[in-house]
């Protein structure tokens, strides 16, 4: 049996390729690509000369049989998407599942991810989050999905195309109200941009400057009525510290006052 390597590739900047990724791509017998033309840019940059085969949404069923047979014959295959981690809103999940079921060794070569990169750069809560991928393109279905998530308390991460971004933001404002949001665009690329603010503010910005490129949207979760606003409380902690109160005492004082965990305040201050 060969090995199926799930390879995370750069989401923009080719310098983000790891040493391990380059070694694996040089060692495997075949590279299965979402788009062979896109992958060739990476291979050419690192002078990797290996055969490639297309594996994408519309041919994955027929290609899986071919790839599995080659794996069973002892060949090793690297699975890559156009950017980031295969299987995350990209082809790959079904092949990986079938490989496990066939007793084939599966290894992951970790690396860049638009999902995780956008989440951590957003400045929103990262302690718990939910990834919903691409929402439906039809307005009615999209709003139905937004209604389903209306009381989701975790931070929400979505992918979206530039031509639908404004429609998505407008629907979010209508269904969820004016929450904080971060739109991460073209991460690691020359025109990288992270636009933060209330949904209404971000709508106004992109009405003036139409977006382009790969987009990830990070939205703060639903806050129950009467639930404490940790950011506001943390600002009060910082104000006490500026007045000369020690950090531990300031945290303890505000934690008692608002009946919140001191550790939650401490972790939020670190992020701020």
């Amino acid at each position: 049996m060969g090995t199926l390597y799930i390879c995370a590739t750069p989401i923009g900047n080719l310098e983000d390729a790891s040493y391990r990724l380059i070694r694996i791509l040089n060692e495997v017998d075949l590279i299965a690509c979402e788009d062979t033309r896109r992958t060739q840019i990476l291979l050419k940059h690192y002078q990797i000369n290996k055969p490639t085969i297309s594996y994408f949404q519309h041919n994955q069923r027929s290609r899986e049989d071919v790839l599995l047979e080659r794996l069973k014959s002892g060949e090793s295959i690297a699975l890559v998407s156009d950017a980031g981690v295969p299987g995350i809103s990209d082809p790959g999940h079904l092949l990986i599942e079938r490989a496990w079921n066939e007793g084939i060794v599966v290894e992951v070569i970790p690396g860049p991810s638009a999902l995780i990169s956008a989440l951590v750069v957003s400045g929103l809560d990262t302690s718990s989050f939910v990834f919903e991928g691409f929402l439906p393109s039809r307005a009615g279905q999209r709003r139905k999905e937004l209604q389903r998530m209306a009381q989701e308390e975790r931070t929400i991460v979505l992918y979206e195309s530039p031509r639908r971004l404004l429609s998505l933001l407008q629907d979010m404002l209508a269904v969820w109200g004016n929450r904080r949001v971060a739109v991460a665009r073209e991460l690691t690329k020359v025109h990288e941009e992270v636009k933060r603010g209330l949904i209404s503010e971000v709508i106004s910005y992109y009405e003036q400057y139409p977006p382009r490129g790969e987009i990830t949207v990070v939205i703060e979760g639903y806050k129950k009525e009467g639930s404490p606003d940790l950011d506001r409380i943390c600002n009060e902690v910082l104000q006490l510290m500026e007045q000369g109160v020690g950090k531990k005492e300031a945290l303890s004082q505000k934690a008692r006052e608002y009946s919140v965990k001191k550790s939650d305040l401490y972790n939020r201050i670190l992020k701020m």
Side-chain angles (χ1 to χ4, degrees), residues 9 14 64 77 117 132 171:
T9 56
L14 296 180
E64 282 165 15
I77 297 175
S117 299
E132 292 284 343
D171 284 346

Side-chain angles (χ1 to χ4, degrees), residues 3 5 22 41 43-44 46 70 94 96 104 107 113 149 207 212 254 266:
T3 300
Y5 294 99
I22 296 168
I41 297 172
L43 300 181
K44 185 175 181 180
Y46 286 102
R70 296 187 66 162
L94 295 176
I96 295 164
I104 294 166
E107 292 187 21
S113 165
M149 295 183 281
E207 284 177 339
R212 294 182 179 182
K254 289 300 175 180
Y266 178 75

Side-chain angles (χ1 to χ4, degrees), residues 218-262:
V218 186
I219 314 100
E220 73 174 344
Y222 170 74
K223 285 183 169 54
K224 294 181 181 178
E225 189 173 346
S227 62
D229 184 336
L230 289 183
D231 285 344
R232 179 174 59 81
I233 301 171
C234 286
N235 283 325
E236 293 182 15
V237 171
L238 295 173
Q239 288 171 6
L240 286 177
M241 292 170 59
E242 289 174 357
Q243 295 166 14
V245 179
K247 182 191 293 185
K248 289 185 178 180
E249 175 56 32
L251 285 167
S252 297
Q253 181 178 323
K254 289 300 175 180
R256 289 193 301 270
E257 180 180 343
Y258 289 100
S259 299
V260 297
K261 292 181 180 179
K262 186 166 67 174

Side-chain angles (χ1 to χ4, degrees), residues 53 103 125:
I53 185 173
D125 184 13

